[in-house]
Amino acid sequence: VRGGYNFGAPGDRIDRSGEVWLAVTSSKKENAQWEPREVAWLDGYTTDDERFPAFSAAVGIEKLTLPVKFGSKPGKENQTRKYRVQLWFAEPSAAPGERVFHVHLEGEQVLENLDIAKAAGGARKPLIKEFTVDVTDGLDLEFHSVQGQPLINAVRLELIEN
C-alpha cells in the first residue's frame, strides 16, 4: 500500500502508476498538522525533469505531522508499522547555498545541511531522499533552517511491513 501527500497542490490526483496523492493546503489539511500555522504555499512551478512536470511546496515549514492513512486497518490505526518514506524536494529559484536546512524524521536527523539546489544540480530539478522508518501515531518531520526557509514538496509513504 502506498500513496503520498502533495503540499500546496491544487487538488488530489492519481498518478500514472495508480498511486493516490492527497493535496495538502491551508484549506485542505487532510488531518496534517504543521508549524508555523502560516506557511507559504507555492503552486505549479515547473521542473526540468519530465517525470516531475510540476511541483508545489510548503515553504517556511518547521514541523509537520502526517496521519498514516496508507495501509492502516480499522482498529489497528496506532499499531507500529515499517514504512518506506520518500521526501520530495525541488528548489523553485534559490541558488546553491541560499536555502540550507536539516531534516529530522521520527525524531532522528536524517539530512544534515540539505541544500536542494546543490544536491539536485540547480533550481527546478527534483531531489528525492528515501528512508525506512517505524511509524506508530503519525509521521513526524522537523525542519531546522541553517540559511533561508526550509521547504518540502511532497512525502510519499509505502507500507513495507504490516
Side-chain angles (χ1 to χ4, degrees):
V1 178
R2 58 187 180 216
Y5 294 94
N6 196 358
F7 303 102
D12 298 343
R13 69 180 179 92
I14 298 174
D15 69 15
R16 291 180 190 157
S17 69
E19 287 186 48
V20 174
W21 289 86
L22 300 175
V24 178
T25 67
S26 58
S27 62
K28 188 177 178 301
K29 295 180 175 53
E30 292 298 338
N31 294 319
Q33 299 174 6
W34 57 86
E35 293 179 21
R37 292 302 302 162
E38 296 301 321
V39 299
W41 302 98
L42 297 180
D43 178 17
Y45 63 96
T46 60
T47 71
D48 295 331
D49 189 316
E50 64 187 35
R51 296 171 300 159
F52 307 93
F55 271 96
S56 53
V59 181
I61 196 158
E62 296 172 2
K63 292 184 180 182
L64 174 65
T65 299
L66 296 171
V68 182
K69 294 182 179 182
F70 309 105
S72 295
K73 294 179 182 176
K76 296 188 176 184
E77 292 87 357
N78 292 324
Q79 178 181 338
T80 299
R81 293 182 175 85
K82 189 172 293 295
Y83 284 87
R84 180 172 298 115
V85 177
Q86 290 181 342
L87 306 179
W88 292 33
F89 304 96
E91 175 55 56
S93 60
E98 291 179 352
R99 186 188 317 270
V100 181
F101 55 97
H102 307 310
V103 179
H104 293 246
L105 182 60
E106 290 296 301
E108 299 291 326
Q109 184 171 306
V110 294
L111 296 170
E112 182 176 5
N113 294 319
L114 176 62
D115 182 335
I116 302 166
K118 182 178 178 182
R124 299 179 179 266
K125 296 184 184 296
L127 176 67
I128 299 173
K129 296 292 189 175
E130 185 172 289
F131 307 94
T132 300
V133 64
D134 292 326
V135 180
T136 302
D137 59 350
L139 182 68
D140 297 315
L141 295 108
E142 290 186 23
F143 306 87
H144 301 276
S145 175
V146 175
Q147 175 71 34
Q149 293 183 310
L151 74 71
I152 188 153
N153 301 84
V155 175
R156 181 181 174 273
L157 299 166
E158 181 178 0
L159 181 64
I160 56 176
E161 188 177 296
N162 201 353

